[in-house]
Amino acid sequence: MCLAAPGRVIAIAGNEATVDYGGVRTSARLDALGEPVAVGDYVLVHTGFAIRRLSPEDGEETLRLFDELLASLQEVARPPRAGDVGEGR
Amino acid sequence: MTRPFAFGDPERARALADAILLLAPAQRVKIVHVCGTHEVTIAQHGLRRLLPERVEILEGPGCPVCVTPTRDIDLAVRLAEAGAILCTFGDMTRVPGTRRTLEDARSTGADVRTVLSASEAVAISRKTDRDVVFFAVGFETTAPMTAAILLDRPPPNLSVLVSHKLIPPAMAALLGLPGAEVSGYIAPGHVSTVIGTRPYEALSSEHRMPVVVGGFEPLDVLYAIALVLRQIRDRSPRVENAYPRAVTEEGNRRAQAMMAEVFEVSDVAWRGIGTIPASGLALRERFGAFDARRRFPAEGVEGEETIPGCRCSEVLTARAVPADCPLFATRCTPLTPVGPCMVGGEGACSIWFRYGGRPRL
Ligand code: SF4
């Protein structure tokens, strides 16, 4: 029931957004979101309702957290090279 | 960059796996997550392969379909047989009740419909004069959606059979079971998006239990495991947020307010576990007219729990893995499910079956 990945908002009409998952589109109600959302934002959608807005910077922040842990354990960890950051594959 | 939130790069995965090896204590640890979506990530990406033998990851009661008590399924079957249009999420129609599934009821003429969202049940009820019952299952991620439709002037022929459940009380209840031996929890990401990290504080401090909120990309899960292990190593159990891009301390206040307006907390039965105090939701008096339990009395609905040979109750309480069950992948498969854990797409048995027997190997 739970869509793990965020989708991108491509249109908003009243209480409803059209959300794109790399070509697959669904609609999501916005009344349980509680924060403003704009076209281009990413949202987490659960059973037809958006529950959280995310910005691409949130993704970079996540990678920074991973690397922070790795750096703190430097003896064994092999932190990725600078060029890797943000290259979600 | 088409998927800015896809964290799967192999180099970081290897580095996190190395971090886990470094952080893992010498003794056996059992980390329990409470979310089918976590299990899918773990099984699909073979993450157990990256862990040392002594670090076990098990799914607890993280499948809402699986933990729905037989009695509620029996009641839904009865309402469908009595002529209501019964709407529910896909997997629910195949979960065994005492005698029949909702699919069985459909095969003998009952009107059972699968919906992807609560709004669809509303749309169906606007197009008919018949009774429409929305059988609402799910945790704190799904309950706000049921609240949303009830706050949005639903048609009078709609009622809701509420079987929503709350995750933190179940996590606490698990710890009291014989043989639980939980070393740490990975808390579910999207339940936590709604409730925030605060509801885990009491559980963590009372039981000195590491609780790390985790996301759903492979790196998110590895990172959460590493943080649990670091807490164990440092003997500093606490609530830690490994998924801050989606989870805050206070959570989604709007969704919480909607839930609080529509529901009150109640003691409810979990399939395979029993009644857990203050672990579920019931409709408030004000919404009584939309409460299927008040509108359609349930006398004589039996709710027989035991399925001979099925070990779901141990699987759902993280005291067994699917492969421990002799029926797994032999008599019990997704096409011929014996227990609910093989039906629900978030059930451990069905996930292990889909991604190959025992995903550890
Ligand atoms: S494999 Fe089937 S019978 Fe065994 S515990 Fe899982 S659902 Fe129950």
Side-chain angles (χ1 to χ4, degrees), chain B residues 253-306:
Chain B
R253 302 269 283 274
R254 164 78 66 87
Q256 290 166 22
M258 291 165 97
M259 263 197 286
E261 191 173 346
V262 171
F263 300 114
E264 57 198 8
V265 172
S266 70
D267 302 350
V268 297
W270 294 58
R271 188 173 195 156
I273 304 177
T275 297
I276 302 176
S279 69
L281 298 174
L283 284 174
R284 288 189 185 280
E285 192 65 50
R286 211 185 111 199
F287 295 92
F290 296 102
D291 191 343
R293 291 182 203 274
R294 292 180 220 203
R295 248 157 80 169
F296 311 103
E299 283 104 50
V301 174
E302 47 303 66
E304 175 52 60
E305 283 274 334
T306 353

CSV table of all heavy atoms in Angstrom, one decimal, chain B residues 253-306:
chain,number,residue,atom,x,y,z
B,253,ARG,N,1.4,17.5,11.1
B,253,ARG,CA,0.4,17.9,12.1
B,253,ARG,C,-1.0,17.9,11.6
B,253,ARG,O,-2.0,17.6,12.3
B,253,ARG,CB,0.8,19.3,12.6
B,253,ARG,CG,2.2,19.3,13.3
B,253,ARG,CD,2.1,19.1,14.7
B,253,ARG,NE,1.7,20.3,15.4
B,253,ARG,CZ,2.5,21.2,15.8
B,253,ARG,NH1,3.8,21.2,15.6
B,253,ARG,NH2,2.0,22.3,16.5
B,254,ARG,N,-1.1,18.3,10.3
B,254,ARG,CA,-2.5,18.3,9.7
B,254,ARG,C,-3.1,16.9,9.7
B,254,ARG,O,-4.2,16.7,10.1
B,254,ARG,CB,-2.3,18.8,8.2
B,254,ARG,CG,-3.6,18.5,7.3
B,254,ARG,CD,-4.7,19.4,7.6
B,254,ARG,NE,-4.4,20.8,7.2
B,254,ARG,CZ,-4.5,21.3,5.9
B,254,ARG,NH1,-5.0,20.5,5.0
B,254,ARG,NH2,-4.2,22.5,5.7
B,255,ALA,N,-2.3,15.9,9.3
B,255,ALA,CA,-2.8,14.5,9.2
B,255,ALA,C,-3.1,14.1,10.7
B,255,ALA,O,-4.2,13.4,10.9
B,255,ALA,CB,-1.8,13.6,8.6
B,256,GLN,N,-2.3,14.4,11.6
B,256,GLN,CA,-2.6,14.0,13.0
B,256,GLN,C,-3.9,14.6,13.5
B,256,GLN,O,-4.7,14.0,14.2
B,256,GLN,CB,-1.4,14.5,13.9
B,256,GLN,CG,-0.1,13.7,13.8
B,256,GLN,CD,1.0,14.4,14.4
B,256,GLN,OE1,0.9,15.2,15.3
B,256,GLN,NE2,2.2,14.2,14.0
B,257,ALA,N,-4.1,15.9,13.2
B,257,ALA,CA,-5.3,16.6,13.6
B,257,ALA,C,-6.6,16.0,13.0
B,257,ALA,O,-7.6,15.8,13.7
B,257,ALA,CB,-5.2,18.1,13.3
B,258,MET,N,-6.5,15.6,11.7
B,258,MET,CA,-7.6,15.0,11.1
B,258,MET,C,-7.9,13.6,11.8
B,258,MET,O,-9.1,13.3,12.1
B,258,MET,CB,-7.3,14.7,9.6
B,258,MET,CG,-7.2,16.0,8.8
B,258,MET,SD,-6.4,15.6,7.2
B,258,MET,CE,-7.8,15.5,6.2
B,259,MET,N,-6.9,12.9,12.1
B,259,MET,CA,-7.1,11.6,12.8
B,259,MET,C,-7.7,11.8,14.1
B,259,MET,O,-8.7,11.1,14.5
B,259,MET,CB,-5.7,10.9,13.0
B,259,MET,CG,-5.4,9.9,12.0
B,259,MET,SD,-4.1,8.8,12.5
B,259,MET,CE,-2.7,9.8,12.4
B,260,ALA,N,-7.2,12.8,14.9
B,260,ALA,CA,-7.7,13.0,16.2
B,260,ALA,C,-9.2,13.5,16.2
B,260,ALA,O,-9.9,13.2,17.1
B,260,ALA,CB,-6.8,14.0,16.9
B,261,GLU,N,-9.5,14.2,15.2
B,261,GLU,CA,-10.9,14.7,15.1
B,261,GLU,C,-11.9,13.6,14.8
B,261,GLU,O,-13.0,13.6,15.3
B,261,GLU,CB,-11.0,15.7,13.9
B,261,GLU,CG,-12.3,16.5,13.9
B,261,GLU,CD,-12.3,17.6,12.9
B,261,GLU,OE1,-11.3,18.0,12.4
B,261,GLU,OE2,-13.5,18.1,12.7
B,262,VAL,N,-11.5,12.6,14.1
B,262,VAL,CA,-12.4,11.5,13.6
B,262,VAL,C,-12.4,10.3,14.5
B,262,VAL,O,-13.4,9.7,14.8
B,262,VAL,CB,-12.1,11.2,12.2
B,262,VAL,CG1,-12.9,9.9,11.7
B,262,VAL,CG2,-12.4,12.4,11.2
B,263,PHE,N,-11.2,10.0,15.0
B,263,PHE,CA,-11.0,8.7,15.8
B,263,PHE,C,-10.7,9.0,17.2
B,263,PHE,O,-10.1,10.0,17.6
B,263,PHE,CB,-9.9,7.9,15.2
B,263,PHE,CG,-10.0,7.5,13.7
B,263,PHE,CD1,-9.2,8.1,12.8
B,263,PHE,CD2,-11.0,6.6,13.3
B,263,PHE,CE1,-9.3,7.7,11.4
B,263,PHE,CE2,-11.2,6.3,12.0
B,263,PHE,CZ,-10.3,6.8,11.0
B,264,GLU,N,-11.0,7.9,18.0
B,264,GLU,CA,-10.4,7.9,19.4
B,264,GLU,C,-9.6,6.6,19.5
B,264,GLU,O,-9.9,5.6,18.7
B,264,GLU,CB,-11.5,7.9,20.4
B,264,GLU,CG,-12.5,6.9,20.3
B,264,GLU,CD,-13.8,7.2,21.1
B,264,GLU,OE1,-13.9,8.4,21.6
B,264,GLU,OE2,-14.7,6.4,21.2
B,265,VAL,N,-8.6,6.6,20.4
B,265,VAL,CA,-7.8,5.4,20.5
B,265,VAL,C,-8.5,4.3,21.3
B,265,VAL,O,-9.2,4.6,22.2
B,265,VAL,CB,-6.5,5.8,21.2
B,265,VAL,CG1,-5.6,4.6,21.6
B,265,VAL,CG2,-5.7,6.8,20.4
B,266,SER,N,-8.4,3.1,20.8
B,266,SER,CA,-9.1,2.0,21.5
B,266,SER,C,-8.2,0.7,21.6
B,266,SER,O,-7.2,0.6,20.9
B,266,SER,CB,-10.4,1.7,20.8
B,266,SER,OG,-10.1,1.1,19.6
B,267,ASP,N,-8.6,-0.2,22.4
B,267,ASP,CA,-7.9,-1.5,22.5
B,267,ASP,C,-8.4,-2.3,21.3
B,267,ASP,O,-9.6,-2.4,21.1
B,267,ASP,CB,-8.3,-2.2,23.8
B,267,ASP,CG,-8.0,-1.4,25.1
B,267,ASP,OD1,-7.3,-0.4,24.9
B,267,ASP,OD2,-8.4,-1.8,26.2
B,268,VAL,N,-7.5,-2.9,20.6
B,268,VAL,CA,-8.0,-3.7,19.5
B,268,VAL,C,-7.2,-5.0,19.4
B,268,VAL,O,-6.1,-5.1,19.9
B,268,VAL,CB,-7.9,-2.9,18.1
B,268,VAL,CG1,-8.8,-1.7,18.0
B,268,VAL,CG2,-6.4,-2.6,17.7
B,269,ALA,N,-7.8,-6.0,18.7
B,269,ALA,CA,-7.1,-7.3,18.5
B,269,ALA,C,-6.3,-7.2,17.2
B,269,ALA,O,-6.6,-6.6,16.2
B,269,ALA,CB,-8.2,-8.3,18.3
B,270,TRP,N,-5.1,-7.8,17.3
B,270,TRP,CA,-4.2,-8.0,16.2
B,270,TRP,C,-4.1,-9.5,15.9
B,270,TRP,O,-3.9,-10.3,16.8
B,270,TRP,CB,-2.8,-7.5,16.6
B,270,TRP,CG,-2.6,-6.0,16.8
B,270,TRP,CD1,-3.3,-5.3,17.7
B,270,TRP,CD2,-1.8,-5.1,16.1
B,270,TRP,NE1,-2.9,-4.0,17.6
B,270,TRP,CE2,-2.0,-3.9,16.6
B,270,TRP,CE3,-0.9,-5.3,15.1
B,270,TRP,CZ2,-1.3,-2.7,16.2
B,270,TRP,CZ3,-0.2,-4.2,14.6
B,270,TRP,CH2,-0.4,-2.9,15.2
B,271,ARG,N,-4.3,-9.8,14.7
B,271,ARG,CA,-4.3,-11.2,14.3
B,271,ARG,C,-2.9,-11.8,14.6
B,271,ARG,O,-1.9,-11.2,14.4
B,271,ARG,CB,-4.5,-11.4,12.8
B,271,ARG,CG,-4.7,-12.8,12.4
B,271,ARG,CD,-5.1,-12.9,10.9
B,271,ARG,NE,-5.5,-14.2,10.6
B,271,ARG,CZ,-6.4,-14.5,9.6
B,271,ARG,NH1,-6.8,-13.5,8.9
B,271,ARG,NH2,-6.8,-15.7,9.4
B,272,GLY,N,-2.9,-12.9,15.3
B,272,GLY,CA,-1.6,-13.6,15.6
B,272,GLY,C,-1.0,-13.0,16.9
B,272,GLY,O,0.0,-13.6,17.3
B,273,ILE,N,-1.5,-11.9,17.4
B,273,ILE,CA,-0.9,-11.3,18.6
B,273,ILE,C,-1.8,-11.3,19.8
B,273,ILE,O,-1.5,-11.6,20.9
B,273,ILE,CB,-0.3,-9.9,18.3
B,273,ILE,CG1,0.7,-10.0,17.1
B,273,ILE,CG2,0.4,-9.3,19.5
B,273,ILE,CD1,1.2,-8.6,16.7
B,274,GLY,N,-3.1,-10.9,19.5
B,274,GLY,CA,-4.1,-10.8,20.5
B,274,GLY,C,-4.4,-9.3,20.7
B,274,GLY,O,-3.9,-8.4,20.0
B,275,THR,N,-5.1,-9.0,21.8
B,275,THR,CA,-5.5,-7.6,22.0
B,275,THR,C,-4.4,-6.8,22.6
B,275,THR,O,-3.7,-7.3,23.6
B,275,THR,CB,-6.8,-7.5,23.0
B,275,THR,OG1,-7.8,-8.2,22.3
B,275,THR,CG2,-7.2,-6.1,23.3
B,276,ILE,N,-4.1,-5.7,22.0
B,276,ILE,CA,-3.1,-4.8,22.6
B,276,ILE,C,-3.7,-3.5,23.0
B,276,ILE,O,-4.5,-2.9,22.2
B,276,ILE,CB,-2.0,-4.5,21.5
B,276,ILE,CG1,-1.4,-5.8,20.9
B,276,ILE,CG2,-0.9,-3.5,22.0
B,276,ILE,CD1,-0.4,-5.5,19.8
B,277,PRO,N,-3.5,-3.1,24.3
B,277,PRO,CA,-4.2,-1.9,24.8
B,277,PRO,C,-3.8,-0.7,24.0
B,277,PRO,O,-2.7,-0.5,23.5
B,277,PRO,CB,-3.7,-1.8,26.2
B,277,PRO,CG,-3.0,-3.0,26.6
B,277,PRO,CD,-2.7,-3.7,25.3
B,278,ALA,N,-4.8,0.2,23.7
B,278,ALA,CA,-4.6,1.5,23.1
B,278,ALA,C,-3.8,1.4,21.8
B,278,ALA,O,-3.0,2.2,21.5
B,278,ALA,CB,-3.9,2.5,24.0
B,279,SER,N,-4.1,0.4,21.0
B,279,SER,CA,-3.3,0.1,19.8
B,279,SER,C,-4.1,0.3,18.5
B,279,SER,O,-3.6,-0.1,17.4
B,279,SER,CB,-2.7,-1.3,19.8
B,279,SER,OG,-3.8,-2.2,19.6
B,280,GLY,N,-5.3,0.8,18.6
B,280,GLY,CA,-6.1,0.9,17.4
B,280,GLY,C,-7.0,2.1,17.4
B,280,GLY,O,-7.0,2.9,18.4
B,281,LEU,N,-7.8,2.3,16.4
B,281,LEU,CA,-8.7,3.5,16.3
B,281,LEU,C,-10.1,3.1,16.1
B,281,LEU,O,-10.4,2.1,15.5
B,281,LEU,CB,-8.2,4.4,15.1
B,281,LEU,CG,-6.8,4.9,15.1
B,281,LEU,CD1,-6.5,5.6,13.8
B,281,LEU,CD2,-6.6,5.9,16.3
B,282,ALA,N,-11.0,3.9,16.7
B,282,ALA,CA,-12.4,3.7,16.6
B,282,ALA,C,-13.0,5.0,16.3
B,282,ALA,O,-12.5,6.1,16.6
B,282,ALA,CB,-13.0,3.1,17.9
B,283,LEU,N,-14.1,5.0,15.5
B,283,LEU,CA,-14.8,6.3,15.2
B,283,LEU,C,-15.4,6.9,16.4
B,283,LEU,O,-16.0,6.3,17.3
B,283,LEU,CB,-15.9,6.0,14.1
B,283,LEU,CG,-15.4,5.8,12.7
B,283,LEU,CD1,-16.6,5.4,11.8
B,283,LEU,CD2,-14.7,7.0,12.1
B,284,ARG,N,-15.2,8.2,16.5
B,284,ARG,CA,-15.8,9.0,17.6
B,284,ARG,C,-17.4,9.0,17.4
B,284,ARG,O,-17.9,8.8,16.3
B,284,ARG,CB,-15.3,10.4,17.5
B,284,ARG,CG,-13.9,10.6,18.0
B,284,ARG,CD,-13.5,12.0,18.2
B,284,ARG,NE,-12.1,12.1,18.5
B,284,ARG,CZ,-11.6,11.9,19.7
B,284,ARG,NH1,-12.4,11.6,20.7
B,284,ARG,NH2,-10.3,12.0,20.0
B,285,GLU,N,-18.0,9.2,18.5
B,285,GLU,CA,-19.5,9.2,18.6
B,285,GLU,C,-20.1,10.1,17.4
B,285,GLU,O,-21.0,9.7,16.8
B,285,GLU,CB,-19.9,9.9,19.9
B,285,GLU,CG,-21.4,9.8,20.3
B,285,GLU,CD,-21.8,8.3,20.5
B,285,GLU,OE1,-21.1,7.6,21.2
B,285,GLU,OE2,-22.8,7.9,19.9
B,286,ARG,N,-19.5,11.3,17.2
B,286,ARG,CA,-20.0,12.2,16.2
B,286,ARG,C,-20.1,11.6,14.8
B,286,ARG,O,-20.8,12.0,14.0
B,286,ARG,CB,-18.9,13.3,16.2
B,286,ARG,CG,-19.4,14.7,15.8
B,286,ARG,CD,-18.3,15.6,15.7
B,286,ARG,NE,-18.1,16.1,14.3
B,286,ARG,CZ,-17.0,16.6,13.8
B,286,ARG,NH1,-15.9,16.7,14.6
B,286,ARG,NH2,-16.9,17.0,12.6
B,287,PHE,N,-19.2,10.6,14.6
B,287,PHE,CA,-19.2,10.0,13.2
B,287,PHE,C,-19.9,8.6,13.3
B,287,PHE,O,-19.8,7.8,12.4
B,287,PHE,CB,-17.8,9.8,12.7
B,287,PHE,CG,-17.1,11.1,12.5
B,287,PHE,CD1,-16.4,11.8,13.5
B,287,PHE,CD2,-17.3,11.8,11.3
B,287,PHE,CE1,-15.8,13.0,13.3
B,287,PHE,CE2,-16.7,13.0,11.0
B,287,PHE,CZ,-16.0,13.6,12.0
B,288,GLY,N,-20.7,8.4,14.4
B,288,GLY,CA,-21.4,7.1,14.6
B,288,GLY,C,-22.3,6.7,13.4
B,288,GLY,O,-22.4,5.5,13.1
B,289,ALA,N,-22.9,7.7,12.7
B,289,ALA,CA,-23.7,7.3,11.6
B,289,ALA,C,-23.0,6.7,10.4
B,289,ALA,O,-23.5,6.0,9.6
B,289,ALA,CB,-24.4,8.6,11.1
B,290,PHE,N,-21.6,6.9,10.4
B,290,PHE,CA,-20.8,6.3,9.4
B,290,PHE,C,-20.1,5.1,9.8
B,290,PHE,O,-19.2,4.6,9.1
B,290,PHE,CB,-19.8,7.3,8.8
B,290,PHE,CG,-20.5,8.5,8.2
B,290,PHE,CD1,-20.6,9.7,8.9
B,290,PHE,CD2,-21.0,8.4,6.9
B,290,PHE,CE1,-21.2,10.8,8.3
B,290,PHE,CE2,-21.7,9.5,6.3
B,290,PHE,CZ,-21.8,10.7,7.0
B,291,ASP,N,-20.4,4.6,11.0
B,291,ASP,CA,-19.6,3.5,11.6
B,291,ASP,C,-20.3,2.2,11.3
B,291,ASP,O,-21.4,1.9,11.8
B,291,ASP,CB,-19.6,3.7,13.2
B,291,ASP,CG,-18.6,2.7,13.8
B,291,ASP,OD1,-18.2,1.7,13.1
B,291,ASP,OD2,-18.2,3.0,14.9
B,292,ALA,N,-19.7,1.4,10.4
B,292,ALA,CA,-20.3,0.1,10.0
B,292,ALA,C,-20.6,-0.8,11.2
B,292,ALA,O,-21.5,-1.6,11.3
B,292,ALA,CB,-19.4,-0.6,9.0
B,293,ARG,N,-19.7,-0.7,12.3
B,293,ARG,CA,-19.9,-1.5,13.4
B,293,ARG,C,-21.1,-1.2,14.2
B,293,ARG,O,-21.7,-2.0,14.9
B,293,ARG,CB,-18.7,-1.4,14.4
B,293,ARG,CG,-17.4,-2.0,13.8
B,293,ARG,CD,-16.3,-1.9,14.8
B,293,ARG,NE,-15.0,-2.0,14.2
B,293,ARG,CZ,-14.3,-3.2,13.9
B,293,ARG,NH1,-14.9,-4.3,14.2
B,293,ARG,NH2,-13.2,-3.2,13.3
B,294,ARG,N,-21.5,0.1,14.2
B,294,ARG,CA,-22.8,0.5,14.9
B,294,ARG,C,-24.0,0.3,14.0
B,294,ARG,O,-25.0,-0.1,14.5
B,294,ARG,CB,-22.7,2.0,15.3
B,294,ARG,CG,-21.6,2.2,16.3
B,294,ARG,CD,-21.6,3.7,16.7
B,294,ARG,NE,-20.2,4.0,16.9
B,294,ARG,CZ,-19.7,5.0,17.6
B,294,ARG,NH1,-20.6,5.8,18.3
B,294,ARG,NH2,-18.4,5.3,17.8
B,295,ARG,N,-23.8,0.5,12.7
B,295,ARG,CA,-24.9,0.3,11.8
B,295,ARG,C,-25.3,-1.1,11.6
B,295,ARG,O,-26.5,-1.4,11.4
B,295,ARG,CB,-24.6,1.0,10.4
B,295,ARG,CG,-25.4,2.2,10.2
B,295,ARG,CD,-24.9,3.2,9.3
B,295,ARG,NE,-25.1,2.9,7.9
B,295,ARG,CZ,-24.8,3.8,6.9
B,295,ARG,NH1,-24.4,5.0,7.3
B,295,ARG,NH2,-24.9,3.5,5.7
B,296,PHE,N,-24.3,-2.0,11.5
B,296,PHE,CA,-24.6,-3.4,11.2
B,296,PHE,C,-24.1,-4.3,12.4
B,296,PHE,O,-22.9,-4.6,12.4
B,296,PHE,CB,-24.0,-3.8,9.9
B,296,PHE,CG,-24.2,-2.9,8.8
B,296,PHE,CD1,-23.2,-2.0,8.4
B,296,PHE,CD2,-25.4,-2.9,8.1
B,296,PHE,CE1,-23.4,-1.1,7.4
B,296,PHE,CE2,-25.6,-2.0,7.1
B,296,PHE,CZ,-24.7,-1.1,6.7
B,297,PRO,N,-25.0,-4.6,13.3
B,297,PRO,CA,-24.5,-5.4,14.5
B,297,PRO,C,-23.8,-6.7,14.1
B,297,PRO,O,-24.2,-7.3,13.1
B,297,PRO,CB,-25.7,-5.6,15.3
B,297,PRO,CG,-26.8,-4.8,14.7
B,297,PRO,CD,-26.4,-4.4,13.3
B,298,ALA,N,-22.9,-7.1,14.9
B,298,ALA,CA,-22.0,-8.3,14.4
B,298,ALA,C,-22.2,-9.5,15.3
B,298,ALA,O,-21.3,-10.4,15.3
B,298,ALA,CB,-20.6,-7.8,14.6
B,299,GLU,N,-23.4,-9.7,15.9
B,299,GLU,CA,-23.6,-10.9,16.7
B,299,GLU,C,-23.4,-12.1,15.9
B,299,GLU,O,-23.8,-12.2,14.7
B,299,GLU,CB,-25.1,-11.0,17.2
B,299,GLU,CG,-25.3,-10.1,18.4
B,299,GLU,CD,-26.1,-8.9,18.0
B,299,GLU,OE1,-27.2,-9.1,17.3
B,299,GLU,OE2,-25.7,-7.7,18.3
B,300,GLY,N,-22.7,-13.1,16.5
B,300,GLY,CA,-22.5,-14.4,15.8
B,300,GLY,C,-21.4,-14.4,14.9
B,300,GLY,O,-21.1,-15.4,14.2
B,301,VAL,N,-20.7,-13.3,14.7
B,301,VAL,CA,-19.5,-13.4,13.9
B,301,VAL,C,-18.4,-14.0,14.7
B,301,VAL,O,-18.0,-13.5,15.8
B,301,VAL,CB,-19.0,-12.0,13.4
B,301,VAL,CG1,-17.7,-12.0,12.7
B,301,VAL,CG2,-20.1,-11.4,12.5
B,302,GLU,N,-17.9,-15.2,14.2
B,302,GLU,CA,-17.1,-16.0,15.1
B,302,GLU,C,-15.6,-15.6,15.3
B,302,GLU,O,-15.1,-15.4,16.4
B,302,GLU,CB,-17.3,-17.5,14.9
B,302,GLU,CG,-17.2,-18.2,13.5
B,302,GLU,CD,-18.2,-17.7,12.4
B,302,GLU,OE1,-18.0,-16.5,11.9
B,302,GLU,OE2,-19.0,-18.5,11.9
B,303,GLY,N,-14.9,-15.4,14.2
B,303,GLY,CA,-13.5,-14.9,14.3
B,303,GLY,C,-12.6,-16.0,14.9
B,303,GLY,O,-11.9,-15.8,15.8
B,304,GLU,N,-12.6,-17.2,14.2
B,304,GLU,CA,-11.6,-18.2,14.6
B,304,GLU,C,-10.2,-17.9,14.1
B,304,GLU,O,-10.0,-17.6,12.9
B,304,GLU,CB,-12.1,-19.6,14.1
B,304,GLU,CG,-11.2,-20.7,14.3
B,304,GLU,CD,-10.8,-20.9,15.8
B,304,GLU,OE1,-11.7,-21.1,16.6
B,304,GLU,OE2,-9.6,-20.8,16.1
B,305,GLU,N,-9.3,-17.8,15.0
B,305,GLU,CA,-7.9,-17.3,14.7
B,305,GLU,C,-7.0,-18.4,14.1
B,305,GLU,O,-6.1,-18.1,13.3
B,305,GLU,CB,-7.3,-16.7,15.9
B,305,GLU,CG,-7.8,-15.3,16.3
B,305,GLU,CD,-7.1,-14.2,15.6
B,305,GLU,OE1,-5.9,-14.4,15.2
B,305,GLU,OE2,-7.7,-13.2,15.4
B,306,THR,N,-7.1,-19.6,14.6
B,306,THR,CA,-6.0,-20.5,14.4
B,306,THR,C,-6.2,-21.2,13.0
B,306,THR,O,-7.2,-21.7,12.6
B,306,THR,CB,-6.0,-21.6,15.4
B,306,THR,OG1,-6.9,-21.3,16.5
B,306,THR,CG2,-4.6,-21.8,16.0
